[in-house]
């Protein structure tokens, strides 16, 4: 099936659906690297125009990645909820955009629609939406999850505290952790990226995080972001695992590159649920994604990187995760070249995730070889806060000393709270005032109470590396 | 630290002082202080200086002429080539081009004597300053160690706009049994001058990254050149004994699990 549009007498033809989607994608280096991007600005608009005319239900008849060869495609089509799709099944992609923006389309309608949408539908409509559209619609979505704290309530912005250390030194991790708590960071999760993927280190890191959390009685959850197979082993050893983490991508082949499959994720999900460690909810999975991961694994099947990214959210929602975030600027300039491309991708990923019913967050970040700086991160944080992002990630002074890239600083979270008026998770907010880190209205005190983290500092001083 | 209110309680001050005392456990930027939601002015400027260093390192050009002169003074055969990436902007967007020689570069290497055991390529990668600072001290230690193992070594191929995998084409064209690629790593905020060393047995165009071994963080304040040289030669010796590099060699030597973070090229 080919697609056409005519602009000023010139007829533009797109051979198939994946070509149409790729050419309709707002410009980014990764699609150019893959050789599938539009060759001119006019060709891009022509593709967007043809895409706007496409009936939404077309996506139910075309498998972009062959159904028989790809378990992600099978998951997407087999779990599609036709009755949920009914309210928009008669619309074109362009009319769907207008339906989403319509003030009469309510939050509850969007929630009910989510299982009726495929990732490709969400990706398609995002390609003809401006940043403002992506923000406005995402802000109407509501995805609430819970473990020891509740994530995604209206007006809230939660945070992952990321206390990484180059050699996983326990005292170094704990020092960054306490620093973050003093800024009111960590209500989504306290999560460490380990430097090595050994079972021994995994167990040591989750035990350390659990010790500190219990010592301070923080209503949050902890996570070691090792491989899912390591997490399963650790659970079998009796380690205190709150959330199981895994990086995921939009095709079976790309996930094979991560050493995972849907069945391994299901096994991990069951194992984590069996521990029953959550107090206010049972969402036990944490996933990270990012545009370009399928292409970098040569597992993109000629499909644009933003559509491949959205397909990963179909995997995520299958396992009712507590948290999902795109690590948007981490992958490097060959996929997202500069601050503008990173910001656009961050808004797209957040929009598509929320539309599909995923508790979407974002690691607002960049590497030193990207054309980006902290100003770009401030911009993206502000935009995502307006869009109602579930959570963002923060590290001491914006500098991740293990992964060698820049994320948000703890200070940036204070900015989002004070200037943009976003509050943290209610359970965590109560804890902050109870221990003397914040006042009764949730505003951080200039001077923390001595009892708040003093015992934990003393604990670190006597800890082994 | 700028405070809105005077301290109300000596114990409270003590908490922040004690937190600052934890700095000795981590290079992370903890206990920075704040003014409202902002960072103190000097803290913010220090961060910008570190980022500026990293940015300048990414965009600095490798001075192949000066480096070549110094190498020839040390009796190395030197060939200077470019990858297929025309400039830095293309290099950053097109890693595939940085992995292949330009036609002129390939011709220059085809004209060389073939069949040494070890070929060495030095590429700017993402930090030319890493190469300019660390290459000569490293080679000064590496050369005698390699020769002492009875290995024939050479030439040095200097590569502009090169990625790790360009060593495959260089090593294959030179008929080397093993190629060592010394390359500027992606600058972090704490170090912009870090050199990486990648060893590949039987280099062929299209070799997978899992078939390489890597030594990272070679710099004056990190892994010192003499220590790096000893580690490289240790790996080279093992590679020649087992005729393999990469994950398989790690398995043979019972090495720790591979880092979760991939090559920073």
């Amino acid at each position: 099936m080919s697609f056409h549009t005519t602009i000023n007498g010139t007829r533009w033809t797109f051979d198939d659906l994946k070509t149409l989607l790729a050419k309709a994608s707002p410009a980014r280096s990764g699609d150019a690297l893959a050789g599938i991007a539009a060759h001119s600005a006019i060709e891009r608009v022509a593709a967007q125009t043809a895409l706007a005319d496409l009936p939404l239900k077309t996506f139910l008849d075309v498998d972009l990645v062959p159904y028989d060869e790809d378990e992600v495609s099978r998951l997407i089509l087999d779990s599609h909820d036709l009755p949920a799709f009914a309210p928009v099944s008669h619309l074109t992609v362009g009319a769907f955009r207008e339906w989403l923006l319509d003030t009469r389309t309510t939050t509850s309608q969007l929630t009910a629609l989510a299982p009726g949408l495929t990732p490709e539908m969400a990706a398609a409509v995002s390609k003809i939406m401006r940043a403002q559209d992506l923000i406005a619609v995402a802000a109407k979505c509501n995805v609430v999850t819970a473990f020891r704290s509740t994530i995604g309530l209206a007006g809230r912005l939660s945070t992952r505290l990321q206390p990484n250390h180059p050699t996983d030194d326990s005292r170094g991790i704990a020092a960054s952790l306490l620093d973050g708590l003093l800024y009111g960071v960590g209500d989504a999760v306290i999560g460490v990226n380990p430097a090595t993927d050994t079972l021994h280190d995994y167990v040591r890191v989750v035990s350390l995080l659990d010790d500190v959390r219990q010592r301070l009685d923080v209503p949050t959850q902890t996570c070691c972001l090792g491989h899912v197979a390591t997490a399963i082993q650790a659970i079998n050893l009796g380690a205190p695992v709150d959330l199981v983490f895994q990086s995921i991508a939009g095709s079976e082949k790309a996930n094979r590159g991560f050493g995972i499959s849907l069945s391994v994720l299901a096994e991990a999900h069951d194992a984590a649920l069996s521990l029953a460690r959550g107090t206010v909810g049972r969402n036990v999975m944490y996933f990270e994604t990012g545009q370009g991961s399928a292409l970098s694994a040569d597992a993109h099947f000629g499909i644009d990187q933003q559509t491949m990214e959205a397909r990963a959210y179909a995997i995520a929602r299958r396992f009712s995760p507590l948290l999902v975030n795109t690590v948007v600027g981490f992958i490097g300039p060959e996929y997202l070249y500069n601050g503008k491309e990173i910001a656009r991708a961050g808004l797209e990923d957040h929009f598509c995730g929320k539309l599909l019913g995923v508790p979407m967050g974002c690691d607002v970040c960049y590497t030193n070889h990207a054309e980006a700086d902290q100003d770009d991160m401030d911009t993206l944080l502000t935009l995502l806060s307006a869009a109602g992002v579930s959570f963002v990630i923060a590290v001491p002074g914006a500098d991740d000393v293990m992964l060698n890239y820049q994320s948000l600083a703890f200070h940036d979270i204070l900015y989002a709270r004070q200037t943009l008026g976003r509050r943290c998770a209610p359970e965590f907010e109560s804890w902050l005032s109870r221990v003397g880190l914040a006042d009764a209205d949730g505003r951080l005190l200039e001077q923390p109470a001595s009892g708040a983290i003093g015992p934990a500092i003393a604990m670190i001083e006597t800890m082994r590396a | 630290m700028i405070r809105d209110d005077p301290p109300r309680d000596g114990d409270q001050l003590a908490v922040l002082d004690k937190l600052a005392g934890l700095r000795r456990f981590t290079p992370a930027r903890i206990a920075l202080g704040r003014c409202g939601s902002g960072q103190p002015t000097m803290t913010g400027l220090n961060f910008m200086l570190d980022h500026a260093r990293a940015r300048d390192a990414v965009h600095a050009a490798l001075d192949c002429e000066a480096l070549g002169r110094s190498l020839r003074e040390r009796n190395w055969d030197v060939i200077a080539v470019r990858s297929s990436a025309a400039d830095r902007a293309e290099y950053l967007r097109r890693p595939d081009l940085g992995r292949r020689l330009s036609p002129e570069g390939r011709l220059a290497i085809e004209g060389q004597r073939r069949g040494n055991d070890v070929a060495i390529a030095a590429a700017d990668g993402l930090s030319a300053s890493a190469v300019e600072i660390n290459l000569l001290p490293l080679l000064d230690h590496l050369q005698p160690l390699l020769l002492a193992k009875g290995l024939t070594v050479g030439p040095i191929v200097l590569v502009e706009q090169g990625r790790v995998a360009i060593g495959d084409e260089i090593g294959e064209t030179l008929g080397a049994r093993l190629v060592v690629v010394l390359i500027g790593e992606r600058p972090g905020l704490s170090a912009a001058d870090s050199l990486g060393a990648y060893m590949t047995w039987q280099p062929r165009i299209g070799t997978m990254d899992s078939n390489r071994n890597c030594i990272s963080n070679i710099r004056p304040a990190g892994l010192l050149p003499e220590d790096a040289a000893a580690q490289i030669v240790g790996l080279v010796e093992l590679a020649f004994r087992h005729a393999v590099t990469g994950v398989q060699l790690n398995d043979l030597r019972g090495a720790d699990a591979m880092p979760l973070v991939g090559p920073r090229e």
Side-chain angles (χ1 to χ4, degrees):
Chain A
M1 182 168 47
S2 67
F3 306 90
H4 316 274
T5 195
T6 300
I7 294 178
N8 292 344
T10 303
R11 183 176 161 87
W12 296 86
T13 300
F14 306 96
D15 288 342
D16 51 28
L17 189 53
K18 67 183 173 187
T19 304
L20 181 67
L21 287 169
K23 304 262 185 188
S25 293
R28 68 205 61 199
S29 52
D31 291 338
L33 176 64
I36 56 177
H39 294 295
S40 70
I42 292 181
E43 186 185 28
R44 178 168 295 113
V45 177
Q48 289 169 333
T49 306
L51 182 61
D53 280 343
L54 189 75
L56 211 47
K57 57 176 178 280
T58 310
F59 290 98
L60 297 178
D61 302 328
V62 182
D63 49 348
L64 291 174
V65 183
Y67 180 92
D68 292 333
E69 297 167 28
D70 187 272
E71 64 176 5
V72 182
S73 292
R74 290 196 290 278
L75 172 69
I76 291 168
L77 291 173
D78 294 351
S79 64
H80 182 252
D81 184 339
L82 213 50
F85 180 57
V88 298
S89 62
H90 59 293
L91 298 177
T92 61
V93 173
F96 181 46
R97 172 184 167 275
E98 293 170 355
W99 183 88
L100 289 170
L101 286 164
D102 195 315
T103 47
R104 289 166 298 182
T105 301
T106 62
T107 297
S108 58
Q109 281 175 293
L110 291 173
T111 305
L113 175 66
L117 292 178
T118 67
E120 291 83 355
M121 294 174 189
V125 74
S126 79
K127 294 177 193 301
I128 56 167
M129 293 170 80
R130 283 171 44 191
Q132 184 190 96
D133 301 345
L134 297 171
I135 293 168
V137 177
K140 281 204 284 189
C141 293
N142 184 38
V143 181
V144 178
T145 57
F147 190 83
R148 283 190 201 96
S149 59
T150 307
I151 314 298
L153 296 169
R156 308 276 174 171
L157 167 70
S158 290
T159 51
R160 168 179 163 198
L161 201 175
Q162 183 169 295
N164 291 345
H165 185 276
T167 60
D168 297 339
D169 182 294
S170 296
R171 297 166 304 182
I173 289 171
S176 291
L177 194 170
L178 293 188
D179 195 46
L181 289 178
L182 283 176
Y183 291 85
V185 171
D187 53 326
V189 64
I190 299 170
V192 168
N193 298 90
T196 61
D197 195 17
T198 65
L199 179 59
H200 177 266
D201 275 345
Y202 185 101
V203 172
R204 179 173 59 84
V205 169
V206 288
S207 303
L208 164 72
L209 297 178
D210 196 54
D211 279 352
V212 178
R213 178 189 66 76
Q214 293 207 42
R215 177 72 62 104
L216 298 174
D217 195 23
V218 194
T220 189
Q221 33 286 330
T222 62
C223 185
C224 176
L225 283 78
H227 193 271
V228 68
T230 313
I232 293 171
Q233 287 178 285
I235 290 172
N236 290 337
L237 288 176
V241 176
D242 287 346
L243 304 183
V244 170
F245 168 82
Q246 184 55 50
S247 294
I248 55 172
S251 71
E252 180 179 338
K253 185 182 177 190
N255 286 323
R256 211 179 300 133
F258 287 137
I260 60 154
S261 63
L262 296 180
S263 62
V264 173
L265 293 177
E267 185 188 345
H269 186 221
D270 289 344
L273 279 176
S274 74
L275 299 180
R277 294 172 59 84
T279 51
V280 296
R282 283 168 52 83
N283 301 106
V284 294
M285 300 299 284
Y286 174 18
F287 296 116
E288 280 192 340
T289 65
Q291 290 191 26
S293 58
L295 174 59
S296 74
D298 191 26
H300 63 297
F301 299 89
I303 297 166
D304 70 273
Q305 66 184 33
Q306 191 251 334
T307 302
M308 287 307 287
E309 166 73 6
R311 285 168 55 92
Y313 308 153
I315 302 174
R317 69 177 173 181
R318 161 74 183 76
F319 298 103
S320 310
L322 181 77
L323 307 165
V324 178
N325 70 265
T326 169
V327 198
V328 67
F330 186 72
I331 192 159
E334 61 267 44
Y335 301 95
L336 295 168
Y337 187 67
N338 55 23
K340 180 179 169 71
E341 292 184 10
I342 291 170
R344 169 83 203 179
L347 292 175
E348 289 166 347
D349 294 352
H350 176 250
F351 163 82
C352 288
K354 283 286 170 70
L355 202 59
L356 293 166
V358 167
M360 203 67 196
C362 182
D363 189 357
V364 175
C365 66
Y366 65 104
T367 59
N368 284 322
H369 60 323
E371 291 290 329
D373 59 23
Q374 294 303 127
D375 285 346
D376 296 303
M377 301 303 105
D378 293 345
T379 303
L380 181 53
L381 171 62
T382 306
L383 297 175
L384 283 169
S385 295
V389 68
S390 296
F391 72 105
V392 291
I393 292 179
V395 300
D399 176 10
D400 188 303
V401 293
M402 202 290 275
L403 294 168
N404 278 302
Y405 76 118
Q406 282 88 258
S407 181
L408 296 175
F410 298 145
H411 298 75
D412 302 335
I413 306 308
L414 282 185
Y415 153 76
R417 301 228 184 287
Q418 294 179 0
T419 305
L420 308 175
R422 298 283 157 175
R423 300 166 67 168
C424 59
E427 300 85 356
F428 196 85
E429 193 171 78
S430 305
W431 175 79
L432 285 175
S433 8
R434 179 159 55 81
V435 300
L437 289 175
D439 64 19
D441 295 327
R443 274 190 305 263
L444 214 62
L445 297 173
E446 287 301 318
Q447 299 298 330
S450 59
I453 62 158
I457 291 179
M459 175 179 159
I460 294 173
E461 292 284 357
T462 59
M463 215 182 253
R464 288 172 47 193
Chain B
M1 178 164 183
I2 302 163
R3 296 189 178 90
D4 293 348
D5 313 309
R8 287 163 302 186
D9 178 343
D11 286 348
Q12 292 170 337
L13 241 193
V15 170
L16 294 176
D17 285 346
K18 281 180 187 164
L19 189 76
L22 300 180
R23 283 195 193 111
R24 69 186 192 279
F25 296 130
T26 178
R29 295 169 197 249
I30 63 166
L32 294 181
R34 64 184 177 92
C35 37
S37 60
Q39 293 185 21
T41 303
M42 282 315 296
T43 304
L45 286 170
N46 286 339
F47 178 97
M48 290 176 75
L49 175 61
D50 290 339
H51 186 238
R53 278 202 193 99
R55 295 293 295 154
D56 284 354
V58 167
H59 288 279
L62 187 63
D63 187 348
C64 283
E65 203 167 304
L67 206 52
R69 220 165 25 243
S70 304
L71 286 166
R72 287 188 187 94
E73 283 167 9
R74 288 161 157 82
N75 295 318
W76 285 100
D77 288 333
V78 181
I79 319 167
V81 300
R82 304 178 63 91
S83 77
S84 297
D87 53 32
R88 199 79 316 207
E90 187 170 60
Y91 173 85
L92 290 172
R93 282 190 173 89
R94 293 289 304 273
D96 52 326
L97 297 180
R99 297 185 187 118
R100 294 302 301 269
L101 290 164
S102 69
E104 300 79 13
R106 192 174 167 92
L107 270 178
I109 292 178
E110 281 171 346
Q112 291 291 308
R113 190 167 63 83
R114 290 171 50 88
N116 278 333
D117 294 323
V118 178
I120 299 178
D124 46 7
L126 285 168
S127 173
S129 52
V131 178
E132 286 170 0
I133 291 170
N134 301 298
L135 182 65
L136 294 176
L138 177 64
L139 288 176
D140 288 347
H141 288 97
L142 189 61
Q143 188 182 35
L145 291 175
L146 286 171
L147 295 178
K149 299 290 175 193
L151 297 168
T152 56
V153 183
I156 300 275
V157 182
L158 295 179
V159 191
E160 281 182 83
Q161 315 293 3
R163 302 250 173 194
V164 171
I166 204 164
D168 298 338
E169 184 172 8
I170 291 170
E172 183 176 0
T173 309
L174 287 169
R177 298 173 71 194
L178 181 144
V179 66
V180 178
V181 177
L182 305 170
I183 187 164
E185 297 186 316
R186 191 182 86 211
L189 290 190
S190 50
D193 59 349
S194 189
L195 192 74
Y198 291 80
M199 277 62 71
T200 309
W201 178 255
Q202 271 190 352
R204 298 285 179 271
I205 292 169
T207 299
M208 306 224 309
D209 284 336
S210 54
N211 291 333
R212 313 183 201 287
N213 293 98
C214 169
I215 290 168
S216 182
N217 197 31
I218 303 167
R219 60 189 174 98
L223 182 62
L224 296 175
E226 53 264 46
D227 299 329
Q231 289 189 22
I232 291 170
V233 171
L235 275 168
V236 168
E237 203 183 357
L238 272 178
F240 272 85
R241 188 183 309 153
H242 297 290
V244 71
T245 47
V247 179
Q248 281 181 280
L249 190 64
N250 273 338
D251 291 344
L252 285 166
R253 57 201 268 260
D256 289 342
M258 291 287 282
L260 288 173
V261 187
R264 282 198 287 134
E265 59 162 334

